[in-house]
Amino acid sequence: MPSYASPHAPSPGRVALDVHNTSPSHRRSFSAATASSSSSVADELRSRGELDAAFAAYERALAVKEVTLGPTHFQVGTLLAKMGDLARQREAPREAIALYEKALPMVTLALGEGHAEVGALYGGLGIALAASAASEEVISRHRVLEASVAAHTR
Protein backbone atom coordinates (compact mmCIF):
# COMPACT_ATOMS: atom_id res chain seq x y z
CA MET A 1 0.00 0.00 0.00
CA PRO A 2 1.50 3.36 -1.01
CA SER A 3 2.20 6.01 1.58
CA TYR A 4 0.41 9.32 1.22
CA ALA A 5 2.23 11.05 4.04
CA SER A 6 3.32 14.57 3.36
CA PRO A 7 5.34 17.01 5.43
CA HIS A 8 2.06 18.80 6.21
CA ALA A 9 0.09 15.71 7.19
CA PRO A 10 -1.05 15.48 10.78
CA SER A 11 0.66 13.03 13.06
CA PRO A 12 -1.24 9.79 13.77
CA GLY A 13 -4.26 10.40 15.96
CA ARG A 14 -4.49 14.09 15.01
CA VAL A 15 -6.77 15.78 12.54
CA ALA A 16 -5.61 18.58 10.28
CA LEU A 17 -7.79 21.67 10.16
CA ASP A 18 -7.44 24.00 7.23
CA VAL A 19 -8.98 27.12 8.72
CA HIS A 20 -8.62 29.13 5.52
CA ASN A 21 -10.88 26.76 3.57
CA THR A 22 -13.77 26.84 6.01
CA SER A 23 -16.78 29.12 6.17
CA PRO A 24 -16.64 32.39 8.17
CA SER A 25 -18.90 30.90 10.86
CA HIS A 26 -16.56 27.92 11.24
CA ARG A 27 -13.55 30.26 11.45
CA ARG A 28 -15.30 32.25 14.21
CA SER A 29 -16.12 29.03 16.02
CA PHE A 30 -12.51 27.84 15.70
CA SER A 31 -11.25 31.22 16.92
CA ALA A 32 -13.61 31.18 19.90
CA ALA A 33 -12.35 27.72 20.82
CA THR A 34 -8.76 28.95 20.50
CA ALA A 35 -9.48 31.90 22.79
CA SER A 36 -11.17 29.64 25.32
CA SER A 37 -8.25 27.24 25.22
CA SER A 38 -5.70 30.04 25.69
CA SER A 39 -7.70 31.38 28.61
CA SER A 40 -7.85 27.93 30.22
CA VAL A 41 -4.09 27.53 29.78
CA ALA A 42 -3.61 30.96 31.37
CA ASP A 43 -5.78 29.98 34.34
CA GLU A 44 -3.68 26.83 34.85
CA LEU A 45 -0.39 28.72 34.55
CA ARG A 46 -1.65 31.30 37.02
CA SER A 47 -2.61 28.60 39.52
CA ARG A 48 0.96 27.25 39.24
CA GLY A 49 2.41 30.68 39.94
CA GLU A 50 3.74 31.16 36.39
CA LEU A 51 2.38 34.70 36.25
CA ASP A 52 4.27 36.07 33.24
CA ALA A 53 3.40 33.04 31.11
CA ALA A 54 -0.22 33.28 32.25
CA PHE A 55 -0.38 36.94 31.28
CA ALA A 56 0.99 36.13 27.81
CA ALA A 57 -1.65 33.42 27.37
CA TYR A 58 -4.39 35.86 28.44
CA GLU A 59 -3.05 38.36 25.88
CA ARG A 60 -3.37 35.73 23.13
CA ALA A 61 -6.92 34.93 24.20
CA LEU A 62 -7.77 38.64 24.31
CA ALA A 63 -6.49 39.22 20.78
CA VAL A 64 -8.69 36.42 19.45
CA LYS A 65 -11.76 37.51 21.42
CA GLU A 66 -11.44 41.12 20.29
CA VAL A 67 -11.40 39.99 16.65
CA THR A 68 -14.13 37.36 16.90
CA LEU A 69 -16.51 39.04 19.36
CA GLY A 70 -15.66 42.70 18.96
CA PRO A 71 -13.57 44.98 21.17
CA THR A 72 -16.44 45.95 23.51
CA HIS A 73 -18.05 42.52 24.04
CA PHE A 74 -18.82 41.40 27.60
CA GLN A 75 -16.43 38.43 27.35
CA VAL A 76 -13.64 40.81 26.32
CA GLY A 77 -14.45 42.87 29.42
CA THR A 78 -14.36 39.88 31.76
CA LEU A 79 -11.04 38.76 30.30
CA LEU A 80 -9.63 42.27 30.76
CA ALA A 81 -10.77 42.12 34.39
CA LYS A 82 -8.94 38.79 34.88
CA MET A 83 -5.86 40.36 33.35
CA GLY A 84 -6.22 43.31 35.73
CA ASP A 85 -6.33 40.92 38.68
CA LEU A 86 -3.24 39.16 37.37
CA ALA A 87 -1.42 42.45 36.80
CA ARG A 88 -2.08 43.35 40.44
CA GLN A 89 -0.80 39.92 41.47
CA ARG A 90 2.33 40.58 39.35
CA GLU A 91 2.74 43.87 41.24
CA ALA A 92 2.09 45.96 38.14
CA PRO A 93 -0.58 48.35 39.48
CA ARG A 94 -0.46 50.84 36.60
CA GLU A 95 -1.08 48.04 34.12
CA ALA A 96 -3.89 46.74 36.34
CA ILE A 97 -5.47 50.20 36.47
CA ALA A 98 -5.51 50.48 32.67
CA LEU A 99 -7.03 47.00 32.31
CA TYR A 100 -9.72 47.60 34.94
CA GLU A 101 -10.63 50.96 33.41
CA LYS A 102 -11.04 49.34 30.00
CA ALA A 103 -13.10 46.44 31.41
CA LEU A 104 -15.41 48.38 33.69
CA PRO A 105 -17.73 50.01 31.10
CA MET A 106 -18.15 46.71 29.21
CA VAL A 107 -18.95 44.66 32.29
CA THR A 108 -21.20 47.36 33.76
CA LEU A 109 -23.15 47.70 30.54
CA ALA A 110 -23.75 43.94 30.41
CA LEU A 111 -24.47 43.28 34.10
CA GLY A 112 -25.70 46.57 35.53
CA GLU A 113 -24.27 48.98 38.08
CA GLY A 114 -25.32 46.98 41.14
CA HIS A 115 -23.88 43.60 40.10
CA ALA A 116 -21.30 41.98 42.37
CA GLU A 117 -18.83 41.53 39.51
CA VAL A 118 -18.94 45.29 38.85
CA GLY A 119 -18.30 45.90 42.53
CA ALA A 120 -15.34 43.52 42.41
CA LEU A 121 -13.93 45.48 39.47
CA TYR A 122 -14.22 48.74 41.42
CA GLY A 123 -12.55 47.02 44.36
CA GLY A 124 -9.67 45.80 42.22
CA LEU A 125 -9.30 49.23 40.68
CA GLY A 126 -9.20 50.84 44.11
CA ILE A 127 -6.55 48.43 45.35
CA ALA A 128 -4.45 49.01 42.23
CA LEU A 129 -4.76 52.78 42.57
CA ALA A 130 -3.71 52.62 46.22
CA ALA A 131 -0.79 50.34 45.33
CA SER A 132 0.40 52.78 42.69
CA ALA A 133 0.61 55.53 45.31
CA ALA A 134 -2.00 57.46 43.38
CA SER A 135 -4.44 57.98 46.22
CA GLU A 136 -5.56 61.40 45.01
CA GLU A 137 -6.40 59.88 41.64
CA VAL A 138 -8.95 57.53 43.20
CA ILE A 139 -11.72 60.11 43.47
CA SER A 140 -10.95 61.72 40.13
CA ARG A 141 -10.84 58.41 38.24
CA HIS A 142 -13.96 57.19 39.99
CA ARG A 143 -15.84 60.24 38.75
CA VAL A 144 -14.57 59.74 35.20
CA LEU A 145 -15.58 56.07 35.30
CA GLU A 146 -19.01 56.91 36.67
CA ALA A 147 -19.52 59.36 33.80
CA SER A 148 -18.34 56.73 31.30
CA VAL A 149 -20.67 54.09 32.73
CA ALA A 150 -23.57 56.56 32.75
CA ALA A 151 -22.91 57.41 29.11
CA HIS A 152 -22.88 53.70 28.14
CA THR A 153 -26.06 52.83 30.00
CA ARG A 154 -28.19 55.50 28.41
Side-chain angles (χ1 to χ4, degrees):
M1 176 177 241
S3 171
Y4 295 102
S6 78
H8 305 292
S11 60
R14 296 198 165 237
V15 176
L17 178 61
D18 184 358
V19 176
H20 300 290
N21 291 324
T22 61
S23 70
S25 65
H26 285 117
R27 282 193 297 273
R28 278 191 300 276
S29 186
F30 176 74
S31 295
T34 301
S36 179
S37 176
S38 292
S39 187
S40 295
V41 167
D43 291 340
E44 178 62 27
L45 290 167
R46 184 177 180 183
S47 73
R48 292 182 186 178
E50 298 177 41
L51 304 183
D52 292 334
F55 198 83
Y58 280 138
E59 286 178 319
R60 287 189 297 277
L62 178 64
V64 172
K65 283 188 183 219
E66 285 179 329
V67 169
T68 57
L69 300 173
T72 60
H73 192 276
F74 168 71
Q75 289 183 21
V76 170
T78 59
L79 185 54
L80 287 166
K82 283 176 109 172
M83 292 173 71
D85 292 341
L86 182 56
R88 267 189 334 157
Q89 191 176 0
R90 292 171 61 213
E91 298 181 5
R94 294 255 180 230
E95 188 173 20
I97 291 165
L99 291 162
Y100 286 134
E101 287 181 334
K102 192 171 177 184
L104 199 52
M106 293 177 228
V107 175
T108 303
L109 181 62
L111 300 178
E113 185 75 32
H115 195 278
E117 193 167 331
V118 174
L121 275 169
Y122 274 113
L125 176 61
I127 292 167
L129 284 166
S132 71
S135 300
E136 293 178 329
E137 284 184 3
V138 172
I139 295 171
S140 172
R141 287 183 183 264
H142 178 72
R143 288 185 182 138
V144 168
L145 286 170
E146 279 184 331
S148 174
V149 169
H152 283 42
T153 56
R154 291 182 185 156

